[in-house]
Amino acid sequence: MQIDILTLFPQMFDSPFSASIFQRAVDRKLVGVNIHNIRDYTHDKHHTVDDYTYGGGAGMILKPEPIFEAVESIKSDIDLKEGIDIVPVILLTPQGRLFSQQIALELSSSSHLILICGHYEGVDERVREHLVTDEISIGDYVLSGGELAAMVVVDAVVRLLPGVLGSEASLLDDSHAFGLLEYPQYTRPPVYRGWAVPEVLLSGNHAQIAKWRREQAVLRTMKHRPELLDKTNLCLEERNLAKDLKQS
Ligand code: ADE
């Protein structure tokens, strides 16, 4: 997968993309990331990227020209090299659809993504209307720019690409993979400060362990994110478990 990110602050991407799983994915050529400075697509002496909002109001708005030109230049390279005609162009904004594991999975099937990090009071509406194909928010709060949101999206997507994680099986156990939060996990020692690992996990009985984990995932979801259970397929036993917990 190739990812192009448009930003006013390219330096913000230096360290998150040069560590751990991400760096390994880059080294193995499973993903490539290009960071583009929106200022490089301006033509005036001052490299102006923002301007006052028409109609009056506080704050500056990102101008459309450098953003259009940056995306068009990236796209023309893609057309030449890869021959793909529809590349998702995603604006990170608090007004977008709420990011989720499902959306990460959806994006992970694209061979190319273009992400635009908004800043200041927002971007000229024509960017939304005529350039972007998707708008994503990472939560109901306002960040000072789209950069951190872009990093969150890229991280969640890249770890889903085949070969990026050591074990593909671990993806299936992720929180949210099946609409439930992940079950509790333990490692050695079996007893730490008097707190013992649940016996079933040491039993070697795989069926019992799988049942315990599913129950714990339901209990944890019920406790922390009960609204997720409405959208999840639970068996009768698990529904009853959730109901009991609700009543207690
Ligand atoms: N830019 C500012 N706040 C944001 C948010 N919550 N999600 C995505 N982009 C943003």
Side-chain angles (χ1 to χ4, degrees):
M1 172 183 275
Q2 185 63 40
I3 303 174
D4 286 277
I5 302 177
L6 275 64
T7 172
L8 290 174
F9 300 98
Q11 68 279 13
M12 281 182 76
F13 292 89
D14 289 350
S15 70
F17 289 168
S18 56
S20 171
I21 290 174
F22 197 90
Q23 185 58 49
R24 214 177 55 202
V26 173
D27 291 344
R28 291 193 196 153
K29 304 209 172 359
L30 299 170
V31 65
V33 181
N34 294 320
I35 310 291
H36 306 265
N37 191 338
I38 296 172
R39 267 181 218 287
D40 292 344
Y41 295 85
T42 54
H43 301 291
D44 64 313
K45 180 165 96 191
H46 301 291
H47 300 289
T48 313
V49 289
D50 58 338
D51 209 333
Y52 295 103
T53 177
Y54 273 123
M60 303 293 271
I61 305 294
L62 282 180
K63 290 164 70 58
E65 308 94 307
I67 300 179
F68 270 84
E69 287 186 32
V71 169
E72 282 160 3
S73 148
I74 294 163
K75 271 186 164 175
S76 65
D77 275 358
I78 299 171
D79 289 346
L80 283 178
K81 284 193 215 127
E82 300 172 32
I84 323 169
D85 34 54
I86 307 163
V87 180
V89 179
I90 303 165
L91 177 67
L92 283 313
T93 162
Q95 295 149 39
R97 59 182 177 137
L98 196 57
F99 191 54
S100 64
Q101 192 64 20
Q102 187 53 43
I103 297 178
L105 200 60
E106 185 190 303
L107 299 180
S108 70
S109 66
S110 288
S111 60
H112 213 122
L113 296 175
I114 300 176
L115 305 181
I116 304 172
C117 304
H119 245 275
Y120 308 127
E121 287 308 303
V123 299
D124 186 285
E125 191 64 16
R126 288 163 290 193
V127 169
R128 278 207 170 81
E129 287 174 342
H130 305 294
L131 188 66
V132 308
T133 60
D134 197 359
E135 297 178 45
I136 289 180
S137 162
I138 61 159
D140 292 336
Y141 40 80
V142 181
L143 302 166
S144 53
E147 284 75 11
L148 291 170
M151 292 174 207
V152 167
V153 169
V154 168
D155 189 284
V157 169
V158 166
R159 64 189 290 286
L160 294 176
L161 299 176
V164 168
L165 289 189
S167 149
E168 306 294 300
S170 66
L171 288 176
L172 300 177
D173 287 336
D174 278 349
S175 287
H176 301 291
F178 291 106
L180 290 176
L181 301 183
E182 197 178 358
Y183 48 79
Q185 305 218 65
Y186 298 85
T187 183
R188 277 181 286 199
V191 181
Y192 176 64
R193 296 191 176 181
W195 302 308
V197 172
E199 223 163 283
V200 60
L201 297 177
L202 311 176
S203 69
N205 182 331
H206 296 296
Q208 284 296 320
I209 292 173
K211 181 167 179 283
W212 181 86
R213 285 181 166 167
R214 181 84 185 168
E215 282 170 5
Q216 292 296 316
V218 173
L219 291 174
R220 182 169 277 188
T221 310
M222 186 70 220
K223 190 165 168 212
H224 297 300
R225 298 289 307 278
E227 79 284 3
L228 294 178
L229 289 175
D230 299 337
K231 293 184 266 169
T232 307
N233 275 332
L234 297 181
C235 68
L236 185 65
E237 213 174 311
E238 290 163 345
R239 284 253 160 248
N240 287 338
L241 190 69
K243 209 163 31 173
D244 288 349
L245 196 75
K246 211 179 214 169
Q247 283 158 1
S248 65

